[in-house]
């Protein structure tokens, strides 16, 4: 299922926002080979927590950098791998 999803997202050039660590694995989805993957990382997974991480990214000054990159958003930082 993950591969099929990734193929559709890649074909449609969509950004993927996920909590699935496997999808954001650089060994399988190299930066630049897709429109972008955003991995939301929480210790205690809650809808409110994920919404807060998404808001953190959207309100950051780094939003323009996530295209074609793997971005990891956690409580204390935003990491972008190109």
């Amino acid at each position: 299922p993950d591969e099929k999803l990734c193929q559709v997202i890649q074909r449609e050039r969509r950004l993927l926002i996920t909590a699935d660590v496997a999808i954001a694995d650089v060994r399988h989805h190299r930066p630049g080979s897709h429109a972008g993957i955003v991995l939301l990382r929480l210790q205690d997974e809650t809808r409110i927590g994920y919404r807060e991480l998404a808001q953190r990214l959207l309100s950051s000054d780094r939003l323009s950098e996530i295209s074609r990159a793997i971005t990891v958003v956690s409580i204390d930082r935003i990491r972008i791998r190109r």
Side-chain angles (χ1 to χ4, degrees):
D2 288 349
E3 272 311 305
K4 191 171 185 175
L5 172 65
C6 290
Q7 289 172 359
V8 170
I9 290 169
Q10 188 171 8
R11 183 176 60 243
E12 296 179 2
R13 297 182 183 188
R14 293 178 183 260
L15 176 77
L16 174 64
I17 300 174
T18 184
D20 186 345
V21 177
I23 289 181
D25 188 336
V26 175
R27 294 171 295 178
H28 297 104
H29 302 99
R30 302 198 62 72
S33 68
H34 48 75
I37 297 173
V38 175
L39 177 63
L40 303 178
R41 296 295 309 263
L42 283 175
Q43 289 223 338
D44 298 318
E45 297 179 344
T46 65
R47 279 187 256 171
I48 291 171
Y50 285 124
R51 185 176 64 220
E52 288 173 355
L53 289 183
Q55 286 175 323
R56 179 164 195 244
L57 176 63
L58 293 173
S59 64
S60 78
D61 60 350
R62 304 194 66 193
L63 196 56
S64 63
E65 300 174 49
I66 67 173
S67 178
R68 301 180 54 83
I70 294 179
T71 303
V72 180
V73 183
S74 59
I75 295 295
D76 58 340
R77 65 181 167 165
I78 297 172
R79 292 178 291 148
I80 299 173
R81 183 159 189 180
R82 304 195 127 269

